[in-house]
Amino acid sequence: MNTLKTLVKKYFSNFAYFYVYLRHRIFIAVGLSIIVGILDGFGLSMFLPLLQLVNDSTNVDPESMGNLRFLVDGMEAMGLGLTLITVLFFILVFFILKGIAKYFSRIYRVILQQTFIRTIRLSMLQALNRISFKAFVTTNAGRIQNTMSGEVDKVSNAYIQYFATFEQGILVAVYMGFAFFVDTQFAFLVTAGGALSNLLYGKIYKHTKGASRKLTGDSNLYQGQVIQHVANFKYLRATGRVEKFSDQLRETIHKIEHSRRRIGVLSGLLEAAREPILVTVVAAVILIQTYLLGGGLGSILISLLFFYRALNAINSFQNHWNRFLAVSGSLDNMQGFQKELKSNKQKDGKQKIVEFTNSLEARNLSFGYGDQYILKDINLTISKNETIAFVGESGSGKTTLVNVLAGLLPPDTGEILVDATQISHIDLNSYQKKIGYITQEPVIFNDSIFNNVTFWAKPNKQNHDRFNRVMAQASLSEFLGNLPKGKETPLGNNGINLSGGQKQRISIARELFKDIDILIMDEATSALDSETEREIQENIDSLKGKYTIIIVAHRLSTIRKVDRVIFMKNGRIEDEGTFEILVANLPMFKKMVELQEI
């Protein structure tokens, strides 16, 4: 059993991968390919009696067809004479049926390809959606983008080439079967010719696969570099380092093109060698059949037909296989990436959160990456509709703690309780739907204001009324009224048409539209000017007592009216209390307030 598994893993792992997505449909495609080969073989077999009738219009020797004489016997059993017309009729019938079968085979293959690509795209999207946030933040963004875009197209090509190879392999087997029926010696010649050509191509296959893997790795690297180049363009341009960073991309581009060129050279070598090898083997077979084996003209002709078909199939098999190897690195990358996503799947409980009703609690909570702990022994309770702020120096663990409370990061030790239920028992998606999250860099989609706020809700009266209500809560009604296109105004890429304050207000409106219970604001006003910050703060203050508000603050002026301030240092809670109490009792906090001239 172990030996069988090893063989399947070594030689049929790719087939097994495709089978996972296509199931029994693969065998329908295989069956159609077999039918095409059999009908082609029958049609070719009828050329021998045709040639005999051309030489002698009254005499056909069934023995010359070997074991395929049952075709002639069948015609006679049907009461059809072996005339030129009947033989031509059957040749025509066999090749028409072959054409029909080939048409359905090709159509079905296209359907399978579409099914495979659609399924793999959807499964990748689903797997990415389910990956834990902790794994996501440590994953190469370039690899994610490259695998889900460019690599999928290459995997589609890998599928095409693999099953073209598979089809040609089936045709080789079918023609070999016909060859065995006609002449066993001929079958061994076909086997020998195929084996020799495979030996010749073996090294080319190995080099092609290696080049493909290198191409995929360099493509992943390039995607990551492009993302960084675009994201950090302002800094690179302002500091005169655009060209310096571009050197990294240029080097990677050269590596990618070198791998492409190498694959092209190897593929060209295979294409160029195909015909010379084919003609050489055909000539050798004719000589062997004529001078060594004493074969007659009839058996040589029909053997040559099958032999030519078989060698064509073998050469096509080799060429398609090499093309498959040229993109096999992408297939390996896809399989590896899918395994990573699956192994890092977010762990969810079954209990759904319909409403946050009581408290959010951390007990003896610790969290870190590897051996480095970021949070240590956190004990904290946040009551419903309480407004709480986390402050402290950079690196003190404020944002990490908020991410743990939001269910983005699982604690290494200790526990999080939502309404007295351990978060590990909760369906995180249901819990996170009750959370609004606003960051320093607000999320703005390249779409209309309405779709940005409602998250593409149906434009019915209920949603329009809700939209107008949350726009008023976010102090955006006047801004909306001054826009010629109103709620249908496009916001541009990353909100390029908006000011920083407008972006933040739209983010607030979006979270309020969700019907949330908890609103998290992570450094939401730190990048704004003082006047805009004051306006946003007024918006936040107006929501106080209506939602559970958790603020990560750098500017202390924004948290003077919160119910409680949590001061953090080195991953621990140093002290807590109202703003005034911490100023009075905690020298470090008092110093921060004085430095900001509050």
Side-chain angles (χ1 to χ4, degrees):
M1 181 61 71
N2 290 332
T3 303
L4 180 61
K5 287 183 178 179
T6 301
L7 289 172
V8 170
K9 186 175 181 180
K10 182 176 181 180
Y11 296 105
F12 296 100
S13 59
N14 292 315
F15 183 89
Y17 177 74
F18 294 127
Y19 178 78
V20 167
Y21 294 95
L22 298 175
R23 299 292 177 183
H24 65 278
R25 301 181 187 91
I26 287 180
F27 299 108
I28 296 175
V30 170
L32 288 170
S33 296
I34 292 173
I35 291 171
V36 169
I38 290 174
L39 290 172
D40 187 53
F42 286 163
L44 291 175
S45 299
M46 296 305 296
F47 275 96
L48 184 57
L50 176 64
L51 290 172
Q52 292 179 353
L53 286 169
V54 170
N55 291 327
D56 183 350
S57 61
T58 61
N59 184 30
V60 172
D61 180 14
E63 295 297 329
S64 64
M65 296 188 68
N67 291 323
L68 288 175
R69 64 171 294 170
F70 71 86
L71 293 172
V72 175
D73 294 340
M75 292 171 62
E76 291 178 340
M78 293 169 62
L80 300 173
L82 290 173
T83 65
L84 184 63
I85 292 176
T86 57
V87 171
L88 286 172
F89 172 77
F90 274 94
I91 290 175
L92 184 62
V93 168
F94 282 133
F95 278 99
I96 288 175
L97 291 175
K98 174 199 168 184
I100 294 172
K102 195 166 188 176
Y103 171 76
F104 282 108
S105 176
R106 291 292 182 270
I107 293 297
Y108 194 68
R109 189 191 293 178
V110 170
I111 293 173
L112 287 191
Q113 181 189 357
Q114 292 175 332
T115 301
F116 171 69
I117 294 304
R118 181 178 63 252
T119 305
I120 202 172
R121 284 185 188 276
L122 292 175
S123 66
M124 286 280 290
L125 178 61
Q126 187 178 41
L128 182 63
N129 288 343
R130 292 179 177 178
I131 189 175
S132 72
F133 184 74
K134 185 175 183 179
F136 176 81
V137 296
T138 58
T139 301
N140 185 327
R143 187 184 182 193
I144 293 176
Q145 180 169 313
N146 186 44
T147 303
M148 295 192 70
S149 53
E151 290 292 89
V152 171
D153 292 331
K154 292 178 183 177
V155 168
S156 174
N157 190 27
Y159 166 83
I160 294 170
Q161 299 303 330
Y162 184 85
F163 278 99
T165 303
F166 204 80
E167 182 183 50
Q168 294 305 313
I170 290 171
L171 291 178
V172 170
V174 170
Y175 294 133
M176 288 284 286
F178 275 103
F180 271 108
F181 256 65
V182 175
D183 189 334
T184 304
Q185 291 175 329
F186 167 76
F188 285 116
L189 290 177
V190 173
T191 304
L196 288 173
S197 58
N198 273 325
L199 286 174
L200 180 64
Y201 287 159
K203 288 189 176 181
I204 297 178
Y205 292 155
K206 182 178 179 181
H207 289 301
T208 302
K209 190 171 183 66
S212 175
R213 285 176 174 169
K214 189 174 187 308
L215 175 62
T216 298
D218 289 337
S219 296
N220 288 338
L221 176 61
Y222 178 71
Q223 288 287 349
Q225 290 173 335
V226 169
I227 291 173
Q228 294 177 70
H229 190 274
V230 173
N232 302 317
F233 186 79
K234 180 179 179 180
Y235 167 78
L236 295 172
R237 173 59 62 82
T239 58
R241 296 189 177 184
V242 170
E243 288 300 320
K244 179 69 174 176
F245 188 83
S246 295
D247 289 341
Q248 307 283 337
L249 278 83
R250 292 188 185 96
E251 183 179 349
T252 305
I253 289 170
H254 287 310
K255 289 179 180 178
I256 289 172
E257 294 313 312
H258 175 75
S259 295
R260 289 188 192 278
R261 183 167 61 251
R262 190 179 181 194
I263 290 171
V265 169
L266 294 169
S267 298
L269 181 60
L270 284 176
E271 292 286 348
R274 180 181 175 184
E275 288 296 333
I277 291 174
L278 183 61
V279 173
T280 301
V281 176
V282 167
V285 168
I286 293 175
L287 291 173
I288 292 171
Q289 285 281 82
T290 305
Y291 291 104
L292 298 182
L293 303 178
L297 180 61
S299 63
I300 287 178
L301 287 174
I302 194 163
S303 294
L304 187 59
L305 282 172
F306 284 125
F307 185 66
Y308 187 81
R309 280 281 207 256
L311 280 182
N312 256 325
I314 289 172
N315 278 278
S316 293
F317 175 95
Q318 292 164 335
N319 285 320
H320 283 300
W321 182 246
N322 198 63
R323 290 171 191 158
F324 167 74
L325 292 179
V327 289
S328 62
S330 297
L331 188 60
D332 293 341
N333 175 59
M334 179 70 71
Q335 293 181 60
F337 187 62
Q338 287 176 313
K339 287 179 181 177
E340 286 182 27
L341 292 179
K342 187 176 181 180
S343 63
N344 291 304
K345 181 180 177 182
Q346 175 177 278
K347 296 178 180 179
D348 263 350
K350 295 183 179 180
Q351 184 170 333
K352 292 186 179 294
I353 295 293
V354 178
E355 183 182 7
F356 177 60
T357 60
N358 188 18
S359 65
L360 183 59
E361 186 176 358
R363 291 182 182 173
N364 302 317
L365 183 149
S366 295
F367 173 86
Y369 291 97
D371 297 330
Q372 183 179 359
Y373 274 89
I374 300 173
L375 301 175
K376 306 167 190 175
D377 302 321
I378 301 292
N379 287 280
L380 174 70
T381 299
I382 303 173
S383 300
K384 179 178 172 64
N385 292 342
E386 182 180 14
T387 299
I388 188 169
F390 292 100
V391 299
E393 297 176 348
S394 296
S396 60
K398 304 184 297 294
T399 296
T400 302
L401 177 54
V402 166
N403 288 337
V404 174
L405 294 173
L408 291 173
L409 300 171
D412 293 327
T413 60
E415 56 187 6
I416 297 293
L417 301 176
V418 181
D419 291 337
T421 301
Q422 289 187 27
I423 201 168
S424 58
H425 298 162
I426 292 174
D427 179 333
L428 285 176
N429 192 48
S430 70
Y431 168 56
Q432 288 163 345
K433 282 182 178 179
K434 308 305 293 183
I435 296 176
Y437 205 120
I438 302 171
T439 63
Q440 182 177 344
E441 289 294 332
V443 176
I444 302 294
F445 299 96
N446 189 9
D447 210 313
S448 67
I449 292 180
F450 182 83
N451 285 338
N452 262 277
V453 171
T454 67
F455 219 71
W456 294 271
K458 292 182 179 179
N460 54 34
K461 184 178 185 304
Q462 180 181 0
N463 287 330
H464 278 296
D465 290 344
R466 187 174 182 82
F467 168 80
N468 290 329
R469 185 164 63 252
V470 299
M471 291 294 279
Q473 283 182 280
S475 300
L476 283 169
S477 297
E478 183 178 353
F479 166 72
L480 187 67
N482 293 330
L483 296 173
K485 294 185 179 180
K487 60 175 66 75
E488 298 305 320
T489 301
L491 299 184
N493 185 34
N494 199 31
I496 194 170
N497 299 325
L498 301 173
S499 68
Q502 289 164 347
K503 289 181 184 180
Q504 288 291 19
R505 289 193 186 98
I506 286 174
S507 294
I508 293 172
R510 180 194 299 128
E511 303 313 309
L512 298 180
F513 187 90
K514 285 169 55 181
D515 188 24
I516 60 171
D517 291 322
I518 301 170
L519 178 62
I520 296 174
M521 305 191 72
D522 187 359
E523 303 279 10
T525 62
S526 62
L528 304 178
D529 61 79
S530 299
E531 181 61 25
T532 303
E533 180 190 38
R534 184 187 61 78
E535 293 174 1
I536 296 294
Q537 186 58 46
E538 289 176 357
N539 292 141
I540 298 172
D541 291 342
S542 70
L543 301 175
K544 189 171 179 283
K546 300 176 183 178
Y547 302 91
T548 303
I549 302 177
I550 301 173
I551 302 171
V552 176
H554 175 69
R555 291 186 179 179
L556 302 183
S557 59
T558 61
I559 62 168
R560 296 190 67 166
K561 296 181 181 180
V562 302
D563 298 318
R564 190 158 42 120
V565 177
I566 309 295
F567 188 89
M568 298 190 66
K569 182 179 180 182
N570 298 327
R572 299 178 185 272
I573 294 177
E574 188 78 8
D575 204 348
E576 62 179 277
T578 63
F579 188 91
E580 290 75 14
I581 288 175
L582 285 188
V583 170
N585 297 335
L586 189 63
M588 287 183 291
F589 184 71
K590 182 179 181 181
K591 185 176 181 180
M592 290 174 64
V593 171
E594 290 172 348
L595 287 173
Q596 294 187 24
E597 299 181 351
I598 299 174

